[in-house]
Amino acid sequence: MKKPSLPSSELGLIEQIQRDFGTSSSAVKLGIGDDCGILRPPAGCEVLVTTDLTLEGRHFRRDSHPPESVGHRCLARGLSDLAAMGATPLAAFLSLALPSTMLTTAAGQTWTAKFFNGLRALAELHSVPLAGGDTSESSGGKNALILADIVLIGYAPKGKALRRSGAFAGDALYVTGQLGGAAAELAGMLGRRKRIATVKTTEDHPHLFPEPRLDVGEALLRRGVATACIDISDGLSSDLTHLCRASGVNAEIEQEALPIHPLAAKLDAKSALHAALHGGEDYELLFTAPSSARMPTSLAGVPLTRIGTLKPRRSGQPLMTLLAPGNGPAELKPGGWEHFAKPSRHAKKKTR
Ligand code: ADP
Ligand code: MG
């Protein structure tokens, strides 16, 4: 990664961003430097737009998350939404509110530079140009918070974007990668109560450096095999609820089939299952396809696992059931993340 350089004013920061994120993308006709960016989506494609807020204290903590991770996760959340619809990124826009100390003190300048290093590394990996944004000083004096709002623009062939609403009863339910890793890593971090100063590699840090599944989403769209898709940002149980509601179906999950991430597998069996079902922020894809469709064991280098089947919607029957070995089907309730939920729901969670 580049050695951090340290601008100390709004204009200085914007000029630095403009230098560091120089765009050579043919999709960006006009990038940072004017009142608007001008984008050129490919012919025959529709434009997809998603926005994600990253708020200090809610989505990360300055005392526990390395700044590179905060920048990475800020972009990863938007990219994962594009992946869920099978879209290809066109450009990102970043609105940033920073406490004044982030530009006027050496420690703050270093934090800001490292935040951009983390964001840029992921942007380069997926060839996503940063085509604009906004910068403001946040209010609140000593208690001022960092806020980063990312807008991702993507494209997909007309009428082909994957949606939550296309699944049918009888379809098979798949997930990419492994589940519960992000929750397990976060729990470990909060248990240590100490900031991880630097991480040598972004690999195998499902919470700090999640990998958005853009290649898998694009491959699913190209193959035309998925009937519905969603990313698992709030937790499998919550996001499956969204898919079932949107598609008008019920779902049955086989507990034994769940691919548990090695970090979650180190926990006791109950906690591991809880992390996989409800943990959230794994940024894997959850998708459906006809049971008769031949599905490879991996796509774009990412393992695919069949974890269940969709059932017809019947009144009085639970939306989701979990089949555990030796037990009958048990109702599975959404237990993942939800903002504004009663405090007890998230009593143990410090960030998400
Ligand atoms: P305006 O006053 O018209 O909003 P700004 O001075 O805020 O213009 O921004 C100047 C240029 O810098 C614009 O092209 C804007 O998109 C870009 N920009 C501002 N802040 C950021 C940021 N945090 N990240 C990326 N680009 C930014
Ligand atoms: Mg502005």
Side-chain angles (χ1 to χ4, degrees):
M1 274 188 193
K2 278 190 186 171
K3 188 173 180 298
S5 46
L6 312 168
S8 58
S9 66
E10 180 196 344
L11 192 59
L13 178 62
I14 293 174
E15 284 171 357
Q16 183 71 46
I17 297 170
Q18 197 168 14
R19 276 194 298 276
D20 288 348
F21 285 83
T23 56
S24 57
S25 166
S26 60
V28 179
K29 196 169 166 190
L30 187 61
I32 294 172
D34 214 313
D35 288 314
C36 294
I38 305 179
L39 306 181
R40 269 191 296 226
C45 284
E46 287 172 326
V47 171
L48 291 88
V49 185
T50 175
T51 81
D52 280 285
L53 264 182
T54 295
L55 178 60
E56 181 177 1
R58 178 56 61 183
H59 302 97
F60 73 94
R61 288 163 51 144
R62 233 187 291 177
D63 59 3
S64 56
H65 287 79
E68 292 91 344
S69 159
V70 181
H72 176 107
R73 293 171 77 228
C74 172
L75 180 61
R77 297 175 62 205
L79 291 179
S80 181
D81 285 331
L82 291 183
M85 310 227 14
T88 306
L90 199 59
F93 293 79
L94 175 71
S95 292
L96 202 55
L98 294 172
S100 64
T101 50
M102 303 311 280
L103 289 189
T104 57
T105 67
Q109 289 172 334
T110 303
W111 194 97
T112 305
K114 288 183 170 180
F115 166 88
F116 276 103
N117 280 346
L119 195 147
R120 192 173 60 245
L122 185 63
E124 284 173 359
L125 191 66
H126 292 288
S127 308
V128 186
L130 183 64
D134 199 24
T135 306
S136 167
E137 182 180 336
S138 58
S139 55
K142 276 206 315 257
N143 299 321
L145 297 176
I146 298 167
L147 174 90
D149 186 35
I150 195 101
V151 176
L152 260 301
I153 315 284
Y155 64 89
K158 226 174 194 169
K160 299 282 189 228
L162 308 175
R163 301 183 185 202
R164 301 174 177 188
S165 55
F168 298 100
D171 282 357
L173 187 62
Y174 296 87
V175 285
T176 62
Q178 293 161 320
L179 302 172
E185 184 178 29
L186 176 62
M189 279 169 56
L190 296 176
R192 282 195 295 280
R193 292 217 145 270
K194 193 168 119 223
R195 172 148 140 205
I196 301 170
T198 44
V199 282
K200 290 203 178 66
T201 163
T202 58
E203 275 167 39
D204 294 329
H205 288 287
H207 172 73
L208 291 175
F209 296 99
E211 295 177 44
R213 299 303 190 192
L214 282 161
D215 293 350
V216 183
E218 286 173 49
L220 285 174
L221 185 146
R222 264 198 314 277
R223 287 173 168 242
V225 66
T227 47
C229 190
I230 186 169
D231 70 323
I232 309 180
S233 49
D234 293 335
L236 172 62
S237 60
S238 292
D239 290 315
L240 179 56
T241 302
H242 300 319
L243 190 148
C244 285
R245 289 227 163 92
S247 292
V249 292
N250 289 354
E252 189 175 83
I253 302 246
E254 286 167 42
Q255 187 177 312
E256 290 274 271
L258 293 171
I260 308 283
H261 191 282
L263 285 179
K266 286 186 193 160
L267 308 171
D268 63 83
K270 200 171 157 219
S271 306
L273 180 64
H274 191 273
L277 287 173
H278 310 297
E281 288 195 302
D282 284 320
Y283 296 112
E284 297 296 346
L285 299 183
L286 174 69
F287 67 94
T288 58
S291 280
S292 58
R294 286 233 318 274
M295 194 61 69
T297 53
S298 72
L299 206 51
V302 181
L304 304 180
T305 309
R306 180 170 177 174
I307 60 162
T309 306
L310 299 186
K311 305 282 175 188
R313 171 74 54 84
R314 295 229 168 80
S315 67
Q317 286 199 356
L319 202 63
M320 300 180 295
T321 47
L322 186 65
L323 277 178
N327 290 339
E331 177 170 9
L332 175 65
K333 292 202 170 129
W337 182 265
E338 194 190 324
H339 288 279
F340 309 110
K342 291 200 182 81
S344 60
R345 278 280 293 282
H346 304 306
K348 292 201 189 115
K349 286 196 175 180
K350 297 292 191 302
T351 69
R352 65 118 329 147

